[in-house]
Amino acid sequence: MAGFRALAREVRNPRNSIALRRTSLRKCLERFAPYGHRATWRHLCARAGIAPDDRAPDPARLIAALAELEEAREVWLAYEVEFAGRRRREKHEGIRQPSAVDDWHRNTWGGCDIVPCASPEVTPDARLADVLRRVIAAMESAPGRSCPVCAQERIEWRTDLERYPLQGPVCTDCGIVVPTSVLTPAALSATRRYALAEQYAAV
């Protein structure tokens, strides 16, 4: 099975058919898809100006989508190196109790669903790399009241998510499932009140 870098080379290879290059980019998402496969694909297509179902997109647009994905992957790989080093130091110092960051990292192992989106139709506007930097910074900071990606406080508790986590706080602006550990207890309570208010408003 080809790895991410080998697939990226296939995307860039001008001797390949455009269909193969597109397929190779889709396969890259089997190795690294921060929002989940479908949501990451739609995000990259929107940013690069590609119709998601276009079987023969402009090669330059494919390369632009790949470049954004590669940039985000470099951010994540650097974080994983730093994370592994920190855990080694903590274990050496006798700190065995996992933290909220450890729990989050364990559930994002491999680079898929790092920042899952509740719907593939709604993803952050920012570049993938910027989103990852913001979420990593939030995980390593004190909890707050707002979405770590777009800074909005309109966060709604959802119980109908399709993948892990099956329920959790979802930003109504950028669509990410917000890690619970980046929100204060008061902010988490507000997500449930917001969901109830929306539910009753729809009746």
Side-chain angles (χ1 to χ4, degrees):
M1 182 181 293
F4 184 94
R5 290 194 178 106
L7 290 166
R9 286 195 294 271
E10 292 300 304
V11 178
R12 286 196 166 90
N13 189 345
R15 293 188 297 274
N16 289 338
S17 68
I18 192 61
L20 176 58
R21 295 171 73 177
R22 178 188 183 276
T23 298
S24 296
L25 180 58
R26 290 298 298 262
K27 287 184 177 180
C28 283
L29 301 183
E30 296 173 7
R31 280 72 176 170
F32 182 73
Y35 298 155
H37 190 285
R38 290 173 59 212
T40 304
W41 175 249
R42 285 190 169 272
H43 169 85
L44 292 174
C45 286
R47 297 261 318 163
I50 300 170
D53 297 327
D54 187 353
R55 301 292 174 179
D58 181 346
R61 295 182 186 275
L62 277 182
I63 298 300
L66 174 64
E68 177 168 351
L69 188 66
E70 287 178 319
E71 179 189 17
R73 185 170 178 267
E74 289 304 311
V75 169
W76 184 248
L77 291 177
Y79 169 73
E80 289 202 319
V81 169
E82 189 279 331
F83 177 87
R86 178 177 64 79
R87 285 301 294 144
R88 282 194 298 270
R89 292 192 300 272
E90 288 177 346
K91 289 179 179 179
H92 181 72
E93 295 167 2
I95 303 173
R96 300 283 175 174
Q97 184 66 30
S99 66
V101 174
D102 299 316
D103 290 339
W104 175 66
H105 185 266
R106 183 166 51 251
N107 291 320
T108 59
W109 184 257
C112 291
D113 291 313
I114 300 169
V115 188
C117 292
S119 167
E121 310 296 331
V122 182
T123 62
D125 292 331
R127 292 180 67 82
L128 281 170
D130 292 335
V131 169
L132 290 183
R133 290 186 187 101
R134 292 171 194 173
V135 173
I136 290 168
M139 292 299 299
E140 297 177 341
S141 305
R145 294 190 56 83
S146 60
C147 171
V149 173
C150 66
Q152 295 293 333
E153 294 188 6
R154 296 177 304 226
I155 301 173
E156 174 186 1
W157 189 269
R158 294 270 299 275
T159 59
D160 59 346
L161 304 180
E162 295 181 357
R163 300 181 314 280
Y164 180 88
L166 297 178
Q167 60 178 338
V170 174
C171 177
T172 61
D173 186 62
C174 71
I176 73 159
V177 181
V178 181
T180 56
S181 57
V182 308
L183 297 173
T184 64
L188 279 172
S189 295
T191 67
R192 292 179 170 88
R193 290 196 302 272
Y194 186 85
L196 285 172
E198 290 291 299
Q199 179 182 342
Y200 285 120
V203 174

